[in-house]
PDB file of all heavy atoms in Angstrom:
ATOM      1  N   PRO B 386     144.706 110.665 100.683  1.00 60.00           N
ATOM      2  CA  PRO B 386     145.539 111.549 101.519  1.00 60.00           C
ATOM      3  C   PRO B 386     146.804 111.986 100.800  1.00 60.00           C
ATOM      4  O   PRO B 386     147.242 113.102 100.946  1.00 60.00           O
ATOM      5  CB  PRO B 386     145.866 110.727 102.744  1.00 60.00           C
ATOM      6  CG  PRO B 386     144.851 109.639 102.744  1.00 60.00           C
ATOM      7  CD  PRO B 386     144.451 109.398 101.340  1.00 60.00           C
ATOM      8  N   SER B 387     147.312 111.107  99.935  1.00 55.00           N
ATOM      9  CA  SER B 387     148.567 111.457  99.256  1.00 55.00           C
ATOM     10  C   SER B 387     148.318 112.644  98.299  1.00 55.00           C
ATOM     11  O   SER B 387     149.220 113.390  98.030  1.00 55.00           O
ATOM     12  CB  SER B 387     149.060 110.250  98.450  1.00 55.00           C
ATOM     13  OG  SER B 387     148.116 109.942  97.449  1.00 55.00           O
ATOM     14  N   ALA B 388     147.096 112.795  97.850  1.00 50.00           N
ATOM     15  CA  ALA B 388     146.831 113.880  96.953  1.00 50.00           C
ATOM     16  C   ALA B 388     146.857 115.214  97.656  1.00 50.00           C
ATOM     17  O   ALA B 388     146.921 116.252  97.017  1.00 50.00           O
ATOM     18  CB  ALA B 388     145.439 113.660  96.301  1.00 50.00           C
ATOM     19  N   ALA B 389     146.767 115.192  98.980  1.00 48.00           N
ATOM     20  CA  ALA B 389     146.719 116.445  99.697  1.00 48.00           C
ATOM     21  C   ALA B 389     148.110 117.085  99.715  1.00 48.00           C
ATOM     22  O   ALA B 389     148.236 118.274  99.944  1.00 48.00           O
ATOM     23  CB  ALA B 389     146.229 116.194 101.123  1.00 48.00           C
ATOM     24  N   ALA B 390     149.146 116.260  99.465  1.00 48.00           N
ATOM     25  CA  ALA B 390     150.479 116.844  99.492  1.00 48.00           C
ATOM     26  C   ALA B 390     150.656 117.740  98.268  1.00 48.00           C
ATOM     27  O   ALA B 390     150.207 117.450  97.189  1.00 48.00           O
ATOM     28  CB  ALA B 390     151.511 115.700  99.466  1.00 48.00           C
ATOM     29  N   PRO B 391     151.282 118.884  98.500  1.00 46.00           N
ATOM     30  CA  PRO B 391     151.492 119.797  97.353  1.00 46.00           C
ATOM     31  C   PRO B 391     152.362 119.192  96.315  1.00 46.00           C
ATOM     32  O   PRO B 391     153.347 118.481  96.629  1.00 46.00           O
ATOM     33  CB  PRO B 391     152.064 121.044  97.983  1.00 46.00           C
ATOM     34  CG  PRO B 391     152.667 120.558  99.300  1.00 46.00           C
ATOM     35  CD  PRO B 391     151.851 119.422  99.746  1.00 46.00           C
ATOM     36  N   GLY B 392     152.024 119.434  95.052  1.00 44.00           N
ATOM     37  CA  GLY B 392     152.879 118.976  93.971  1.00 44.00           C
ATOM     38  C   GLY B 392     152.517 117.576  93.457  1.00 44.00           C
ATOM     39  O   GLY B 392     152.962 117.195  92.416  1.00 44.00           O
ATOM     40  N   ALA B 393     151.706 116.872  94.161  1.00 45.00           N
ATOM     41  CA  ALA B 393     151.392 115.492  93.764  1.00 45.00           C
ATOM     42  C   ALA B 393     149.888 115.347  93.669  1.00 45.00           C
ATOM     43  O   ALA B 393     149.296 114.503  94.327  1.00 45.00           O
ATOM     44  CB  ALA B 393     151.964 114.461  94.733  1.00 45.00           C
ATOM     45  N   VAL B 394     149.260 116.226  92.906  1.00 45.00           N
ATOM     46  CA  VAL B 394     147.794 116.223  92.944  1.00 45.00           C
ATOM     47  C   VAL B 394     147.184 115.678  91.684  1.00 45.00           C
ATOM     48  O   VAL B 394     146.000 115.344  91.685  1.00 45.00           O
ATOM     49  CB  VAL B 394     147.269 117.665  93.174  1.00 45.00           C
ATOM     50  CG1 VAL B 394     147.549 118.088  94.602  1.00 45.00           C
ATOM     51  CG2 VAL B 394     147.851 118.627  92.180  1.00 45.00           C
ATOM     52  N   GLN B 395     147.919 115.509  90.596  1.00 46.00           N
ATOM     53  CA  GLN B 395     147.272 115.111  89.341  1.00 46.00           C
ATOM     54  C   GLN B 395     147.366 113.592  89.209  1.00 46.00           C
ATOM     55  O   GLN B 395     148.451 113.045  89.328  1.00 46.00           O
ATOM     56  CB  GLN B 395     147.924 115.784  88.170  1.00 46.00           C
ATOM     57  CG  GLN B 395     147.564 117.253  88.041  1.00 46.00           C
ATOM     58  CD  GLN B 395     146.093 117.423  87.792  1.00 46.00           C
ATOM     59  OE1 GLN B 395     145.471 116.644  87.142  1.00 46.00           O
ATOM     60  NE2 GLN B 395     145.503 118.490  88.376  1.00 46.00           N
ATOM     61  N   PRO B 396     146.251 112.950  88.968  1.00 45.00           N
ATOM     62  CA  PRO B 396     146.331 111.527  88.716  1.00 45.00           C
ATOM     63  C   PRO B 396     146.953 111.262  87.336  1.00 45.00           C
ATOM     64  O   PRO B 396     146.708 112.033  86.398  1.00 45.00           O
ATOM     65  CB  PRO B 396     144.898 111.051  88.778  1.00 45.00           C
ATOM     66  CG  PRO B 396     144.108 112.293  88.399  1.00 45.00           C
ATOM     67  CD  PRO B 396     144.903 113.445  88.880  1.00 45.00           C
ATOM     68  N   SER B 397     147.700 110.222  87.256  1.00 40.00           N
ATOM     69  CA  SER B 397     148.202 109.866  85.942  1.00 40.00           C
ATOM     70  C   SER B 397     147.109 109.027  85.263  1.00 40.00           C
ATOM     71  O   SER B 397     146.379 108.311  85.920  1.00 40.00           O
ATOM     72  CB  SER B 397     149.460 109.077  86.015  1.00 40.00           C
ATOM     73  OG  SER B 397     149.159 107.865  86.644  1.00 40.00           O
ATOM     74  N   PRO B 398     146.963 109.102  83.972  1.00 38.00           N
ATOM     75  CA  PRO B 398     145.833 108.431  83.316  1.00 38.00           C
ATOM     76  C   PRO B 398     146.014 106.934  83.323  1.00 38.00           C
ATOM     77  O   PRO B 398     147.072 106.420  83.455  1.00 38.00           O
ATOM     78  CB  PRO B 398     145.854 108.942  81.883  1.00 38.00           C
ATOM     79  CG  PRO B 398     147.226 109.527  81.720  1.00 38.00           C
ATOM     80  CD  PRO B 398     147.739 109.949  83.044  1.00 38.00           C
TER      81      PRO B 398
END
Side-chain angles (χ1 to χ4, degrees):
Chain B
S387 64
V394 290
Q395 285 298 324
S397 65

